[in-house]
Amino acid sequence: MGNANSVDNELKELAKETKDKLTKEDITKYKTFWYKLYPSGLMTRDGLGKFVAHAFPNWDGKSNVDHLFRALDRDNSGTVTFKEFILFQSVASPTNGKVDPLSLIDVVFNMYDIDNNNEITVEELRESLTNIFKTYGHDVEKVEIKSMIETRVNKFLDVADKNGDQKLTKKEIIDAVSKDKSLLALI
C-alpha cells in the first residue's frame, strides 16, 4: 500500500511540475515507455537513437540529433533523466492544454544554441533547422528543402534580429514571438 502511495505522489508531483500539461495517465504511459528503453533511468547521447526511432519513424538512423539531446538535457549533465524527459514532453507535446510559447522558446533555444553561449548564430540556426528536417526524413540536399530552410532562417532573422548582428538572444526571440506567435512555426 505504501508503495502505491509513493507512486501516486510521484505522479502528482510530476503532473504539478508540468503545470498539469500532462495527466497522471500520460506520465504513467511515458514512464513505462522510458524504463523499457532506459532500464537505468538515464538516457545518454548515444542512447538517444532509441527514442528518436520511436518518435520520428522517418528518421534515417544516421542524421545528427544532437539538437534534440540539448533540448532534453536541461541541466547539461550529459544524461537525460525521466523528469527531464517529462518536462520536455510537457512543453513540446502537451496532452492537457496548449503549448506555452515562452516554455517552447526555452526548449528551442537550448536546441539551437550549439556552443551553449546564450546566443544563436545564423550558422547554428541553419544547422539546427537542417538537422530537424533530416530527423523528419527530408532530403536536405534537395533545392526546395534548402530553400525552405534559408527562407525560415532569413524570415526569423528579419523579424527577431533587431540589432542586426546576425545573432539571436533569447530576449530577441521572446520579443519577436510576443509580437507574432506564428514565428514559432518557423523554428
Side-chain angles (χ1 to χ4, degrees):
M1 182 80 143
N3 193 24
N5 283 338
S6 173
V7 170
D8 193 49
N9 286 339
E10 177 190 21
L11 294 175
K12 282 181 186 174
E13 190 60 35
L14 284 170
K16 183 177 166 186
E17 284 199 48
T18 68
K19 299 178 181 145
D20 291 318
K21 297 282 187 178
L22 298 173
T23 65
K24 288 192 312 185
E25 293 78 20
D26 295 326
I27 294 169
T28 300
K29 287 178 190 172
Y30 280 131
K31 189 172 186 175
T32 301
F33 168 77
W34 182 262
Y35 283 97
K36 189 180 286 186
L37 289 179
Y38 310 106
S40 72
L42 297 175
M43 175 203 300
T44 62
R45 190 174 296 273
D46 290 339
L48 177 63
K50 292 179 188 177
F51 169 70
V52 174
H54 284 284
F56 302 95
N58 292 328
W59 180 54
D60 63 9
K62 297 177 284 196
S63 300
N64 185 331
V65 290
D66 285 349
H67 60 283
L68 188 55
F69 193 83
R70 284 191 300 276
L72 287 158
D73 186 17
R74 295 170 86 101
D75 65 1
N76 294 315
S77 66
T79 59
V80 177
T81 63
F82 176 67
K83 182 177 177 180
E84 287 174 311
F85 173 72
I86 285 298
L87 293 173
F88 173 84
Q89 288 299 110
S90 72
V91 171
S93 303
T95 57
N96 199 26
K98 295 181 181 176
V99 170
D100 172 33
L102 293 180
S103 296
L104 191 56
I105 289 169
D106 279 339
V107 168
V108 169
F109 198 87
N110 289 341
M111 277 179 28
Y112 288 25
D113 185 14
I114 294 170
D115 59 9
N116 205 22
N117 69 347
N118 294 316
E119 59 187 20
I120 300 170
T121 64
V122 174
E123 294 80 20
E124 287 174 321
L125 185 57
R126 185 178 295 114
E127 181 179 334
S128 295
L129 285 171
T130 299
N131 286 331
I132 289 169
F133 272 74
K134 283 182 187 177
T135 303
Y136 280 101
H138 295 290
D139 180 356
V140 296
E141 296 305 316
K142 285 186 170 181
V143 173
E144 58 269 16
I145 299 296
K146 282 183 177 183
S147 176
M148 189 182 305
I149 291 168
E150 279 307 305
T151 299
R152 288 179 181 206
V153 167
N154 293 331
K155 182 170 183 184
F156 208 82
L157 283 171
D158 288 346
V159 175
D161 186 20
K162 291 301 179 192
N163 63 4
D165 66 353
Q166 299 291 291
K167 299 174 186 172
L168 298 173
T169 64
K170 194 179 292 185
K171 182 180 179 347
E172 286 177 313
I173 294 172
I174 290 169
D175 290 348
V177 170
S178 294
K179 292 177 185 152
D180 183 358
K181 300 230 185 309
S182 71
L183 290 174
L184 280 177
L186 295 177
I187 55 173

